[in-house]
Each structure stands twice: as structure tokens, then as C-alpha cells.
Amino acid sequence: MLELNNSQIKLSQLRALLAVAEYGNFSEAALRLDLSQSAVSHAIASLEDELGILLFSRGRQGAIPTPVGEQVIEYARQILQLLEEMVAAAKSEKSLQSGTVRVACIRSAATHILPSAIAQFRRRSPGIAIDILEHFDHLDVEQAIREGQADVGFTHLPTSAEFEAWEILRDEYVALLPPSAHLKQNQCTWEELFAYPLIVPSTNNACFTTLRNHLLSAGIRIDNQVAYQVNEDSTSVSMVLQGLGATIMPRLAAEPIPSALRVCSLPVPLERVIGVAVLANTLLTPAVFSFLDVLRGVASPPVKCA
């Protein structure tokens, strides 16, 4: 039943209206609707009473729409068309024939995780669109999910209780030293690392906070070691390649690493855990559920240094 203000117009009345308008008489409309003629007549009469107007002129020529009846018929046609489109959209969403999944991610996740996941998802659900929202760090990713700008996000674990999250992979922090560095093994000492000017992210970068806290736990303050603060990972890698200093970053963030660079593990290991997160206790669409299922299947083993 469709209620407009205090009126009670039924969809069955609108269907009867269109049938009478199409076939020109009540008996043929009743036959097409598989109803009795009296039921159709009652539907039209009650609709006319509800609207307070005459919709058809009745006579030997059949049922002919009045001028205002023509307008009402067109409105009824639009209402039923919109109803059909609404139902079709719902069915399409349920059957994963259309829809959109919005994914917020940091650059390394967008580069190394998403392409494989999207390729698999496209084979499964080619009608679903994927919107990729790249962010500077994982805190921005979480904010995008929190504000409803994204359905799914790649972030660092552990995260807050407002999110439901699970691990995708572990990414080890590595030291990148210039080509001129001479190392006897794949794990450098702090002395070997800090023999070079240090290239680090800016202080407002969550990665810098993680790195600084890790070094402090090892009794090392890096304030006097920092020569450059750079936000773009690729810029840091290029600067090390030019011999301007050394840097510490997650291995995936450094990829592709030039073969001339010396890559080594830290004296005290550090890793970041990358996970997929959605807002807890929120209603997810079937398309999002399907995409999450694909992500669970592309989880990678921990990334280790060569």
C-alpha cells in the first residue's frame, strides 16, 4: 500500500488503471489481469474517490481517459516503472551482477596485494566495479573507513576495536645501504648503518613513529643521525642509490629495489603486519563480502630478506 499524506493508493489500483487505459474497457483489462470485471471496476472507482476526480469516461465506446486521467495514467506508469527498476537493482546487487567496492589502501598494498586480488575478483564478478583510494599512511586509511568513504581498507595491525580486521601478510623492515657499502653478512650492525647519514620519513608519518619507537627500545636515539626527511619511498631509495645516505623502510615499500643497493636485516628485527579492515558491526553489501572472500585467499607468507 502506497501512502501519500493521508491517502492510501494501492499498487493494484495503479496496475488496474494502466490496464484499462491500454485495453480501452474494463472486461479486457480484467481478463489480462486475471481478475473479475467487478474487481477492476472497484479498483478504478476507489482510486477516483481517493483522488476526487474522474479518470475515465464510460460509454459504448468503452473507457476513455479524461484529460486529467491522462496525466494520472502517465504518473502511474512512471511509478510502476521506478518500482520495477528498484526491484531489479536489488536483485542485481544480491546476484553480484553490479555494484561497487571502495578500497582504501597504502601504496605498498595497492602495488603488491591489490592487483592479484582484483584480477581474481573480476573473474568471479565482472560486473562489480572496484574504486581504489590510495592514502599516505594507514591512519588515513582507517579514517576513510570510519567516515564511510571506503568499504574495505588495508591497514597496520593491531588496530582499534572499532574495526574488524585480519592479517594478510607480514613485511620486514630492512636497511638499504649505498652500493659502496661493504657488508660481510645480510644483517648489518647499528654501527654499520649509522656510518651513513640517515634518510627517514617526515615526523608526521606513522612509519617514522614506528621506526623511532623501535630504535628507542634498542637504546638508540636517531635525532642527530637524520640528514633527510622524505615522504616518497621511491625518492628515499633513489637517494640511497646515489650514495646520499642509508634508510630503513618496509621491504614492500622499497620494491622494486635496485640490484646495486645493499639490503640487510636490522640488528633487532622489526616488521609491520598488514591486514584488511572493515568497520565492525556495519552492514556490508554482498559485493563487499565477495571481495573480502577473495582477499582471504590471496594472503601471502611473511616477506623475508634474501
Side-chain angles (χ1 to χ4, degrees):
M1 183 166 56
L2 185 66
E3 295 189 9
L4 301 174
N5 295 327
N6 294 321
S7 68
Q8 296 183 341
I9 298 176
K10 300 178 181 179
L11 294 176
S12 59
Q13 293 174 318
L14 300 183
R15 294 189 179 98
L17 174 66
L18 294 185
V20 173
E22 181 178 357
Y23 299 109
N25 62 73
F26 287 78
S27 58
E28 183 65 19
L31 181 63
R32 298 291 181 172
L33 294 173
D34 196 22
L35 297 171
S36 65
Q37 182 172 335
S38 61
V40 173
S41 297
H42 177 73
I44 299 301
S46 60
L47 180 59
E48 290 177 325
D49 288 342
E50 182 69 30
L51 296 175
I53 57 174
L54 186 66
L55 297 171
F56 293 99
S57 298
R58 285 86 159 169
R60 293 183 178 180
Q61 301 297 324
I64 301 175
T66 62
V68 68
E70 292 281 7
Q71 296 180 44
V72 173
I73 289 168
E74 181 57 31
Y75 288 135
R77 185 174 288 110
Q78 294 177 25
I79 291 171
L80 294 178
Q81 177 63 33
L82 288 173
L83 178 62
E84 289 181 5
E85 293 175 3
M86 179 183 72
V87 172
K91 288 182 178 179
S92 177
E93 180 70 19
K94 289 173 62 177
S95 62
L96 297 179
Q97 294 178 0
S98 65
T100 301
V101 179
R102 302 166 300 166
V103 185
C105 58
I106 51 181
R107 186 191 66 83
S108 52
T111 303
H112 301 285
I113 302 174
L114 267 183
S116 174
I118 293 175
Q120 292 187 38
F121 185 68
R122 292 288 294 175
R123 289 193 291 270
R124 176 189 294 189
S125 305
I128 306 296
I130 301 291
D131 282 353
I132 302 174
L133 312 172
E134 293 187 88
H135 291 278
F136 182 62
D137 64 32
H138 70 283
L139 299 179
D140 295 330
V141 168
E142 293 180 2
Q143 188 64 21
I145 303 173
R146 192 179 293 115
E147 294 178 352
Q149 299 171 5
D151 305 302
V152 181
F154 288 87
T155 187
H156 294 176
L157 301 183
T159 186
S160 64
E162 63 186 314
F163 299 106
E164 180 181 349
W166 66 93
E167 180 180 329
I168 289 292
L169 61 81
R170 297 189 174 214
D171 187 18
E172 182 184 8
Y173 277 72
V174 295
L176 302 182
L177 277 63
S180 60
H182 298 288
L183 301 174
K184 296 180 180 180
Q185 54 186 2
N186 289 330
Q187 184 179 56
C188 63
T189 65
W190 292 127
E191 290 76 14
E192 288 173 323
L193 175 60
F194 294 131
Y196 299 92
L198 200 58
I199 304 168
V200 299
S202 61
T203 54
N204 63 347
N205 188 315
C207 186
F208 174 82
T209 303
T210 298
L211 180 60
R212 181 182 59 186
N213 291 341
H214 179 70
L215 294 176
L216 282 174
S217 68
I220 299 172
R221 299 183 64 88
I222 63 172
D223 298 341
N224 295 330
Q225 300 289 338
V226 174
Y228 306 97
Q229 290 189 325
V230 180
N231 281 329
E232 288 294 335
D233 299 324
S234 58
T235 302
S236 296
V237 172
S238 295
M239 292 176 69
V240 175
L241 186 61
Q242 294 300 320
L244 296 175
T247 190
I248 302 172
M249 66 173 61
R251 187 178 183 92
L252 282 183
E255 294 285 357
I257 302 175
S259 59
L261 291 186
R262 300 303 306 272
V263 184
C264 59
S265 298
L266 299 179
V268 180
L270 172 65
E271 65 181 8
R272 62 175 178 171
V273 181
I274 298 179
V276 174
V278 296
L279 202 60
N281 303 317
T282 191
L283 185 62
L284 302 177
T285 66
V288 173
F289 272 117
S290 181
F291 186 68
L292 292 176
D293 186 52
V294 169
L295 289 179
R296 289 185 177 95
V298 299
S300 301
V303 177
K304 297 297 184 181
C305 286

